[in-house]
Amino acid sequence: MVELDHLTFSYDGNREVLSDISFDLKAGETIGLIGANGAGKSTLLKILAGLLTDYKGQAKIDGLDVNKKNLAAVRKKTGYVFQDSESQLFLSTVYEDVAFGPRNYGCVGKELEEKVMSALKQVHIEELKDRPIYRMSGGQKKLAAIATILSMEPEVILFDEPSVGLDPKNRRNLINIINGISGLKIIASHDLDMIFDTCNRTILIEKGKLICEGETEKILTDQRLLEKSGLELPLSMQKRDV
Amino acid sequence: MSKLQQAIDNLHEADREAGKRSGKSRIHPVSRLLVCVAYIGIVVSFPKYDVTGLLGMSLFIIITGILEDLSFIKGFQRMKYILAFVVLLGAVNPFLDKRIVMQTGGVTVTGGMLSMMTLFIKGVLTVYAAYFMFMCTGIEQLCRALRCLKVPKGAVTVVLLIYRYIIVLLKEIQRMSLAYRLRAPGQKGIHIKVWGSFAGLLLLRSMERAQNVYDSMLLRGYDGEFQYEILGQEKTGKGLGAVYAAGWIGIFLLLRCVPVFQMAGNIFLSIGQ
Ligand SMILES: Nc1ncnc2c1ncn2[C@@H]1O[C@H](COP(=O)(O)OP(=O)(O)OP(=O)(O)O)[C@@H](O)[C@H]1O
Ligand SMILES: [Mg+2]
């Protein structure tokens, strides 16, 4: 579904932010993308979403090259949940914002309403449908932002730090929601406990290089590997050791 | 609540109200836009001493306000700075044009006073017309109307982004001035020394956020076209919209060419005699 082949990217043409990354992800998987601050996680997601196109190497989504020519088709297949939900949401009410994507793809009337309501139901915020977005809490905005993506029914969903700013209950809630979404999911995060609870495979990057990829359980229990890349064991693992 | 917060809330509130109203409206936004432009053009074209003629034109504003359930007071509150500016524009006229045009009892009316009146009325009417039109269409429908009128995609996207950018900018100012005030307690306003870096940073930060908003639109399939068909409008839209536009523009032209109110007054007077 998502194929990267020797992908290299630099913002300024000098310093490589991502270098020589290759992997192959299948439909239905949930992938954790971990790495310290500045490792290049967000950059990688932006490339997959078609926001940064002048990379070297190859990036394919569902067989389509991610390049300027295929942009519309690629974007139809992918959804990107921003780290900062405030700038992802720009219309006045939750309903309007969730309807924005399907509308752009020509959906109207009953069909539109069904898509919007089903997306809101998946994140359990049906009752916020007519609420003005500017009067919602950070956690509610995050859920609304996820709904704006779900309503487009993408085949690949990219999450950038989805659990940032959520309280424990909402974080749990989010984990359940992510687990309930079908399709390929790629989650970039430092929240290794969340990765542990949602992802079957994990990719570790450090300073733009792919360090290793494999089963989540193997990678997240390897203390030496994580610490070498500037990360720590998930909290739940740390307790178990004592 | 701070003034800034009020401004942000005001914008959001107006945006939401407009969105709601346009979702229910059965009149196509193109008709509304055309009527509004025609209205403004005709109001502006009235001669500078024709106060009664202009008062006749206020019919459109009053009827629209009543039919669409729009609040004149809220409109005044939202538009007060623009209205104040319009009043200021006319305020110099009495000093420039001192020709006497009317004398009733002890009161002399100069040309400047009359033209100040007409300028003031023209200002209020056009501001209200634009405001009411916006409140009935909302920014998305307005942009869609512009697209229907073959305004290029790029230009329409710029209009849309400027509108969104204003909110982003206000919020960024709020955030940065809060961060500043928290670390500079007891200080009034922002010290002049940091204005330069404050403004520069503000520009960079708000531009980054505006870029995010635009990315978010692109990622959800926005390509400069507006697929905002509202079912009621598509069905009855063309016919009803055409009647609406033709009707109002006809009335405007009538009011402009025939001094209807003066004639009515004369008839009353002649009956009285
Ligand atoms: N717009 C940009 N222009 C230039 N350099 C950038 C830009 N955005 C990010 N970078 C640089 O690219 C590198 C990777 O950034 P990226 O945001 O992808 O990291 P990240 O893994 O998402 O980090 P974090 O965990 O802090 O979100 C960083 O060194 C960063 O400074
Ligand atoms: Mg990041």
Side-chain angles (χ1 to χ4, degrees):
Chain A
M1 194 72 196
V2 172
E3 295 162 62
L4 294 191
D5 196 21
H6 300 291
L7 180 103
T8 296
F9 179 82
S10 142
Y11 281 101
D12 51 10
N14 283 323
R15 203 170 56 91
E16 285 185 359
V17 172
L18 294 173
S19 38
D20 200 22
I21 294 196
S22 307
F23 55 69
D24 197 345
L25 312 176
K26 289 177 195 62
E29 283 190 299
T30 305
I31 309 294
L33 186 59
I34 62 174
N37 286 127
K41 304 182 293 295
S42 302
T43 308
L44 186 55
L45 293 189
K46 282 185 184 156
I47 289 175
L48 292 178
L51 287 174
L52 303 169
T53 48
D54 40 354
Y55 54 83
K56 292 197 195 83
Q58 237 184 1
K60 278 187 180 178
I61 290 193
D62 201 15
L64 278 174
D65 264 314
V66 181
N67 57 25
K68 288 220 170 78
K69 209 178 90 230
N70 293 333
L71 224 47
V74 166
R75 284 176 179 165
K76 202 166 176 181
K77 289 180 190 294
T78 55
Y80 183 27
V81 179
F82 284 54
Q83 179 166 350
D84 165 25
S85 15
E86 181 121 338
S87 36
Q88 176 153 15
L89 305 165
F90 47 78
L91 290 171
S92 48
T93 65
V94 176
Y95 186 95
E96 282 303 310
D97 220 302
V98 175
F100 181 83
R103 255 186 195 146
N104 280 330
Y105 290 119
C107 194
V108 287
K110 257 221 128 44
E111 194 195 346
L112 177 68
E113 195 172 329
E114 272 165 24
K115 279 200 175 155
V116 174
M117 289 317 290
S118 130
L120 292 175
K121 230 175 242 151
Q122 280 186 71
V123 296
H124 316 298
I125 53 167
E126 301 105 296
E127 75 283 355
L128 296 181
K129 146 172 112 74
D130 294 317
R131 277 278 284 282
I133 282 168
Y134 62 100
R135 295 231 177 96
M136 300 199 318
S137 78
Q140 290 169 331
K141 279 183 198 158
K142 177 61 79 187
L143 295 180
I146 294 176
T148 64
I149 300 306
L150 292 179
S151 65
M152 300 195 306
E153 300 165 353
E155 291 167 45
V156 181
I157 304 189
L158 313 165
F159 292 92
D160 199 349
E161 312 275 5
S163 62
V164 164
L166 297 184
D167 64 25
K169 191 167 156 260
N170 273 313
R171 189 176 151 280
R172 231 327 96 211
N173 187 11
L174 176 77
I175 290 173
N176 293 334
I177 287 168
I178 290 179
N179 284 333
I181 298 171
S182 56
L184 173 59
K185 291 158 275 180
I186 304 178
I187 305 171
S189 183
H190 309 282
D191 183 349
L192 299 191
D193 290 272
M194 183 195 59
I195 297 284
F196 196 81
D197 285 339
T198 50
C199 302
N200 59 319
R201 266 170 79 194
T202 293
I203 293 170
L204 171 61
I205 53 177
E206 184 193 340
K207 298 203 186 104
K209 292 195 179 61
L210 194 145
I211 301 296
C212 72
E213 67 147 316
E215 273 177 42
T216 301
E217 192 144 356
K218 263 205 199 114
I219 293 180
L220 292 193
T221 49
D222 190 337
Q223 186 163 8
R224 280 212 17 229
L225 179 72
L226 291 176
E227 278 172 5
K228 230 186 94 222
S229 304
L231 296 167
E232 287 179 356
L233 277 180
L235 287 172
S236 49
M237 301 290 143
Q238 291 178 16
K239 271 183 225 139
R240 220 171 282 170
D241 284 350
V242 181
Chain B
M1 215 178 349
S2 74
K3 276 225 169 83
L4 212 53
Q5 183 62 44
Q6 243 169 27
I8 295 172
D9 275 11
N10 243 332
L11 263 175
H12 276 305
E13 199 58 50
D15 195 33
R16 196 162 70 96
E17 202 185 317
K20 253 195 193 153
R21 198 170 277 112
S22 88
K24 279 186 284 181
S25 167
R26 300 173 75 79
I27 294 166
H28 203 278
V30 170
S31 314
R32 289 202 190 270
L33 182 61
L34 288 179
V35 167
C36 179
V37 170
Y39 182 78
I40 290 175
I42 292 175
V43 163
V44 170
S45 78
F46 265 85
K48 64 178 181 178
Y49 297 147
D50 191 358
V51 177
T52 46
L54 275 171
L55 286 177
M57 289 298 283
S58 69
L59 266 180
F60 169 66
I61 301 293
I62 294 167
I63 290 176
T64 305
I66 294 170
L67 286 184
E68 304 284 351
D69 194 22
L70 285 154
S71 160
F72 290 91
I73 296 169
K74 242 190 207 163
F76 177 78
Q77 282 165 353
R78 283 179 184 151
M79 296 277 128
K80 61 187 171 210
Y81 295 112
I82 299 178
L83 287 171
F85 179 69
V86 168
V87 172
L88 273 181
L89 274 186
V92 289
N93 277 24
F95 303 102
L96 299 180
D97 180 358
K98 292 199 171 134
R99 206 159 50 85
I100 292 167
V101 287
M102 217 158 65
Q103 222 158 8
T104 33
V107 189
T108 41
V109 178
T110 65
M113 284 157 88
L114 267 189
S115 61
M116 178 180 77
M117 275 288 279
T118 52
L119 211 62
F120 173 68
I121 297 172
K122 279 179 186 178
V124 172
L125 291 182
T126 50
V127 168
Y128 263 102
Y131 168 73
F132 278 1
M133 191 266 302
F134 182 80
M135 292 308 289
C136 291
T137 53
I139 189 74
E140 273 80 27
Q141 292 291 330
L142 194 60
C143 287
R144 181 177 152 223
L146 291 174
R147 276 301 291 150
C148 291
L149 295 173
K150 302 276 179 286
V151 176
K153 270 186 198 179
V156 175
T157 302
V158 168
V159 170
L160 189 66
L161 285 179
I162 287 177
Y163 178 78
R164 300 246 160 89
Y165 182 70
I166 293 172
I167 293 185
V168 168
L169 185 69
L170 286 177
K171 280 193 182 160
E172 215 46 63
I173 293 176
Q174 189 184 31
R175 213 165 293 167
M176 280 178 61
S177 66
L178 179 68
Y180 180 88
R181 266 183 289 133
L182 288 177
R183 283 183 289 163
Q187 192 178 311
K188 256 200 159 171
I190 288 160
H191 197 278
I192 194 157
K193 262 192 193 155
V194 297
W195 277 15
S197 60
F198 194 88
L201 197 58
L202 178 68
L203 190 70
L204 286 178
R205 284 178 50 158
S206 61
M207 269 166 45
E208 191 191 322
R209 294 191 36 116
Q211 177 74 47
N212 279 341
V213 169
Y214 185 53
D215 285 347
S216 165
M217 289 164 63
L218 289 179
L219 289 177
R220 290 197 265 153
Y222 174 80
D223 62 351
E225 291 301 349
F226 291 82
Q227 324 285 358
Y228 268 77
E229 276 77 16
I230 288 173
L231 279 183
Q233 283 176 6
E234 296 330 300
K235 278 193 204 130
T236 59
K238 298 258 153 62
L240 196 65
V243 172
Y244 173 85
W248 273 119
I249 294 174
I251 294 174
F252 299 158
L253 288 174
L254 184 75
L255 286 170
R256 176 68 184 83
C257 303
V258 187
V260 181
F261 278 71
Q262 231 162 17
M263 274 162 56
N266 290 344
I267 292 171
F268 271 115
L269 285 179
S270 64
I271 292 169
Q273 276 161 6

